[in-house]
Amino acid sequence: MFDTQKEGMLMFSLVTINNEDMERRGVTEILACNGEIDKYGLSLNEEQALALVKTRTNALKETKRVEFGPGIIDKLILAFEDSPYVSQDIFEDVLHELINMFYDIKNGTWEKVSDDELIDFMKNAFNGCCAGSTQLLAGEAMRLTEHIHMGKKLSEFKLREN
Amino acid sequence: MGEVDIVHLFSLDVSDYRNYLRTIIMQARGCGCLSDEGFARIQNDMLVIMSELADRWTKGKSSSIPVDKAQDIMNSIAFVIGLKLKTYQTPEQALEHLNTDSIRTLYDEGINIVRRKKAYARRIQKRIIDNMLDTPNVYYKLTIVDGINGFFKLYRPQFGAHEIHITADYPVYIGRPQLDGIEFIEQYLHCIEAENSFCRCFDSKDIHNLIAAISKDYRSVPMNIFEPVLLAAIGLVILGHEPERLNLTRDDVNYLYKLLIKNNDSQIQEYLHISCDNMYKRIRVPKSSRLYIDTCIPKLASSIRNAIKMNTLDKLFVVPEQEEHQNKEILSYGERMDDIKYERLVERVLQAEYSEEKISIILGEVHSFADLLDILSEAMLCEEDMKLLVLMLPDEVKEALRYQYPDDSFLDRESERLLYNALQE
């Protein structure tokens, strides 16, 4: 027997989105990147892939966002594969931080910056003025959100000089 | 042969009607008419539609959206499907289609209904604008023209079909429609059109005299114009007078009190129905307004009954303002200039550099009290301009303005405060 009242409340709620299914697809997409990142001496196993997907799920919950389609983890992986500041032993940790940061910045920039533009910004900042520091990258992200809040465009934003 | 009594599986009230899809699903689940598989199919199909709409909302540039926006889109989809389901005669038929038709088809057909309703609402608004009452009440014009235009500008059925966007400040007599999105706007405009068409049967000056007796500052009060007009007309008909001038007297109201005090609610309703029929013999009231008035009668009767109990019948059956209090000589109320001419005039005043030039333009061009009030509010006159204007105005107009602004209690705008201060000097 079901509780119709509760069911009515949840009927069109986003709780109904099937997380399990999304996570399974997410893992497959991450593992598919191995063929590409292999040439940089990087790889992610199934356990790591699942952990990254879980981080994404939590980040979405914390930032009160909902994701459709393939998501951004594979895009982040491919954007950071050739970073001079990334090696196999820290690759997964960096990705966890980047995933968390991505949705935060997304909210902070009021939907004014597309996924690809944001990943480009993160990559340029990480490889440039932040010299591989995710802490410094968070600072640059803060500057970017302030820049956007002032009504300016992403193209007008200048990264801090080294 | 008697009518067939259809036994309904569902019983829907007004609030259910607002969330039609959800209510039908909940009730169908409750009585076992919608299986787990059927329910899951509806949910999944709606999620597929939502995912497509989310992609369109981000113009394909973002794979994620805020939960609030996603929930909005989901509510919008439910509203649109609900609109389609409402076209079926009974909730049971709606459920049958929900069980058998594709959710995509129901949604697409619902969107077509939204589009048709939107076009229809635009036509109603145009008809109303072509037949606006000549009243200085700012809420009336602001809501019907600017407010509704704002709705059409902001309304995006794909992402927020259930949203209203505007505050719809002008109150219709029957009450704010308990509906969402385009259904709300359509119903709201229907009410305004019916009220408007009725009020157009009377002279704008007589309406002004009547409403001014309720509030001297009715220009800036969000109040319904139709109610006092209808009641004045009905009151006159009850007493066997001609209703056209809306000119009840204090004696008339006292007599109405004596006449109505012995009646209960349903007797008053009966009285009102008969009086309206008599009124229609004397005034050509459009059919849509007659039907609307019919729906207002229970509320009117209840208001009358309460007013009798509270001994405030004179607040319902209003005695119009006396002629000597009105701004009648120098500026008429009814000869307003057309909108284009008025906008050009405002432009000229705004562009004029010196106070003398501004005042000369206003005095030369403005010939109606309503236009004067409008331009005083929109021409961004400074303190010096306002003082000079008041100095140059004929005494009768100054008197009328003092009457319009008797005290400084509700002066929201800077222009009103400047005018009020200038009038005190």
Side-chain angles (χ1 to χ4, degrees):
Chain A
M1 198 60 197
F2 45 78
D3 180 345
T4 50
Q5 190 64 35
K6 193 177 165 198
E7 193 171 75
M9 299 287 285
L10 294 177
M11 191 178 309
F12 306 126
S13 134
L14 300 166
V15 177
T16 57
I17 292 174
N18 191 337
N19 274 339
E20 237 174 71
D21 189 41
M22 276 186 72
E23 286 181 356
R24 210 172 37 247
R25 272 186 286 151
V27 169
T28 310
E29 278 156 15
I30 292 170
L31 294 177
C33 294
N34 276 333
E36 171 64 26
I37 62 176
D38 179 53
K39 57 187 174 201
Y40 298 99
L42 303 170
S43 69
L44 292 162
N45 61 31
E46 195 161 345
E47 193 185 336
Q48 289 172 314
L50 187 60
L52 289 172
V53 168
K54 297 256 184 231
T55 294
R56 192 241 338 239
T57 305
N58 288 338
L60 284 168
K61 256 184 214 161
E62 273 175 30
T63 54
K64 293 188 167 62
R65 296 183 70 83
V66 57
E67 192 161 62
F68 304 96
I72 48 90
I73 304 181
D74 52 342
K75 284 185 177 179
L76 281 172
I77 292 171
L78 298 177
F80 284 79
E81 63 178 354
D82 59 351
S83 170
Y85 300 102
V86 163
S87 58
Q88 175 63 26
D89 54 337
I90 61 162
F91 191 41
E92 189 198 340
D93 290 343
V94 170
L95 285 172
H96 282 293
E97 292 193 52
L98 292 176
I99 291 165
N100 278 319
M101 211 179 286
F102 178 88
Y103 297 108
D104 262 340
I105 310 174
K106 200 78 187 161
N107 272 356
T109 50
W110 297 343
E111 315 299 314
K112 303 274 185 209
V113 180
S114 73
D115 287 357
D116 292 343
E117 286 170 334
L118 183 52
I119 291 171
D120 266 355
F121 157 81
M122 291 169 81
K123 178 184 173 179
N124 291 335
F126 184 82
N127 290 343
C129 61
C130 302
S133 159
T134 48
Q135 274 189 337
L136 291 178
L137 178 57
E140 280 305 288
M142 186 75 84
R143 282 186 56 234
L144 174 67
T145 56
E146 283 165 6
H147 175 85
I148 297 290
H149 292 183
M150 286 161 74
K152 295 180 186 169
K153 291 179 183 164
L154 174 71
S155 56
E156 297 164 16
F157 182 76
K158 288 201 170 36
L159 287 171
R160 193 168 42 82
E161 287 187 14
N162 283 321
Chain B
M1 200 173 139
E3 282 183 20
V4 179
D5 185 22
I6 301 168
V7 179
H8 291 283
L9 287 169
F10 311 134
S11 58
L12 302 178
D13 64 26
V14 177
S15 61
D16 295 335
Y17 197 72
R18 212 167 165 175
N19 299 302
Y20 200 61
L21 174 63
R22 174 155 50 196
T23 307
I24 286 185
I25 290 179
M26 275 178 65
Q27 297 206 11
R29 295 285 280 157
C31 64
C33 299
L34 180 62
S35 65
D36 288 350
E37 295 74 26
F39 180 49
R41 179 187 68 92
I42 293 168
Q43 281 185 312
N44 286 336
D45 288 357
M46 285 176 75
L47 280 172
V48 170
I49 296 171
M50 182 165 78
S51 147
E52 287 170 18
L53 290 176
D55 193 50
R56 276 164 68 181
W57 187 70
T58 66
K59 299 187 180 78
K61 290 180 174 174
S62 180
S63 60
S64 64
I65 61 172
V67 166
D68 289 350
K69 188 65 215 173
Q71 192 65 66
D72 259 356
I73 295 175
M74 193 55 125
N75 291 341
S76 176
I77 295 167
F79 173 84
V80 170
I81 294 172
L83 265 189
K84 174 61 191 167
L85 295 179
K86 283 176 193 176
T87 61
Y88 300 114
Q89 235 170 0
T90 63
E92 289 82 358
Q93 286 174 350
L95 175 63
E96 200 183 317
H97 283 273
L98 199 56
N99 267 322
T100 54
D101 295 2
S102 104
I103 295 299
R104 164 72 64 185
T105 306
L106 292 173
Y107 176 76
D108 288 345
E109 288 176 7
I111 281 285
N112 285 338
I113 294 172
V114 174
R115 291 207 178 104
R116 279 202 300 275
K117 281 183 176 291
K118 194 176 162 189
Y120 181 54
R122 272 188 191 281
R123 286 207 300 278
I124 306 175
Q125 186 210 21
K126 187 177 181 310
R127 282 203 305 262
I128 299 172
I129 291 174
D130 290 344
N131 293 288
M132 290 283 275
L133 288 179
D134 188 8
T135 171
N137 186 278
V138 284
Y139 288 95
Y140 174 77
K141 193 179 168 193
L142 273 179
T143 304
I144 296 168
V145 181
D146 302 350
I148 301 295
N149 283 346
F151 166 80
F152 287 128
K153 195 174 165 188
L154 297 172
Y155 191 59
R156 298 174 76 194
Q158 298 94 329
F159 308 123
H162 61 301
E163 286 176 6
I164 297 169
H165 297 291
I166 59 166
T167 49
D169 292 324
Y170 180 76
V172 289
Y173 177 68
I174 203 74
R176 206 175 164 80
Q178 294 301 303
L179 294 165
D180 296 311
I182 191 65
E183 282 194 303
F184 170 92
I185 295 293
E186 188 187 14
Q187 183 65 31
Y188 182 64
L189 286 173
H190 264 309
C191 296
I192 290 181
E193 187 177 36
E195 293 188 0
N196 213 50
S197 302
F198 177 74
C199 290
R200 292 269 300 174
C201 299
F202 303 90
D203 190 289
S204 60
K205 196 174 165 188
D206 291 328
I207 295 176
H208 166 70
N209 294 341
L210 192 70
I211 314 286
I214 300 169
S215 168
K216 291 182 183 105
D217 188 29
Y218 82 92
R219 184 175 180 275
S220 48
V221 177
M223 61 184 289
N224 178 260
I225 296 170
F226 165 80
E227 180 188 11
V229 173
L230 174 63
L231 279 169
I234 289 176
L236 286 161
V237 171
I238 290 175
L239 298 170
H241 302 323
E242 290 302 324
E244 283 87 348
R245 294 296 313 275
L246 305 170
N247 52 350
L248 283 169
T249 64
R250 298 214 172 278
D251 289 343
D252 289 340
V253 179
N254 290 336
Y255 193 68
L256 282 170
Y257 180 83
K258 286 175 194 156
L259 211 60
L260 295 169
I261 192 168
K262 296 168 200 145
N263 296 293
N264 62 27
D265 207 82
S266 61
Q267 286 167 326
I268 293 175
Q269 282 195 36
E270 188 59 32
Y271 228 124
L272 292 175
H273 276 296
I274 294 166
S275 307
C276 284
D277 288 342
N278 287 334
M279 177 171 69
Y280 303 148
K281 288 174 192 156
R282 297 172 198 198
I283 304 170
R284 284 171 63 93
V285 178
K287 197 178 172 194
S288 59
S289 299
R290 293 182 188 198
L291 292 170
Y292 179 74
I293 290 169
D294 273 351
T295 64
C296 294
I297 281 180
K299 187 175 174 187
L300 284 169
S302 164
S303 303
I304 292 171
R305 191 77 208 116
N306 285 338
I308 290 170
K309 272 188 208 158
M310 308 291 287
N311 203 15
T312 54
L313 203 62
D314 58 333
K315 303 283 184 250
L316 276 188
F317 291 98
V318 180
V319 176
E321 279 287 299
Q322 295 302 305
E323 291 290 321
E324 63 263 26
H325 284 147
Q326 292 156 18
N327 38 282
K328 58 182 187 226
E329 299 295 341
I330 307 301
L331 299 164
S332 71
Y333 223 106
E335 292 160 22
R336 231 173 171 159
M337 70 178 77
D338 67 59
D339 288 350
I340 296 169
K341 200 174 166 194
Y342 175 77
E343 273 170 31
R344 282 193 196 130
L345 175 66
V346 174
E347 271 302 302
R348 280 179 62 201
V349 176
L350 287 173
Q351 282 168 4
E353 199 171 342
Y354 302 108
S355 296
E356 290 78 6
E357 194 186 349
K358 290 181 192 175
I359 305 314
S360 156
I361 295 169
I362 294 174
L363 292 177
E365 300 287 333
V366 174
H367 302 292
S368 95
F369 194 64
D371 283 338
L372 178 66
L373 290 173
D374 284 345
I375 203 141
L376 286 174
S377 133
E378 289 178 32
M380 299 175 78
L381 299 178
C382 66
E383 189 177 355
E384 190 189 338
D385 301 335
M386 204 64 95
K387 278 182 183 168
L388 184 64
L389 176 68
V390 169
L391 196 70
M392 304 285 285
L393 283 173
D395 288 343
E396 297 89 328
V397 179
K398 271 190 268 194
E399 197 49 45
L401 285 170
R402 283 195 192 100
Y403 190 67
Q404 189 79 18
Y405 297 103
D407 55 57
D408 58 356
S409 314
F410 298 103
L411 304 181
D412 295 330
R413 299 192 190 114
E414 177 66 11
S415 61
E416 289 179 328
R417 276 193 292 275
L418 290 176
L419 174 62
Y420 178 80
N421 291 338
L423 285 167
Q424 306 314 306
E425 290 182 3

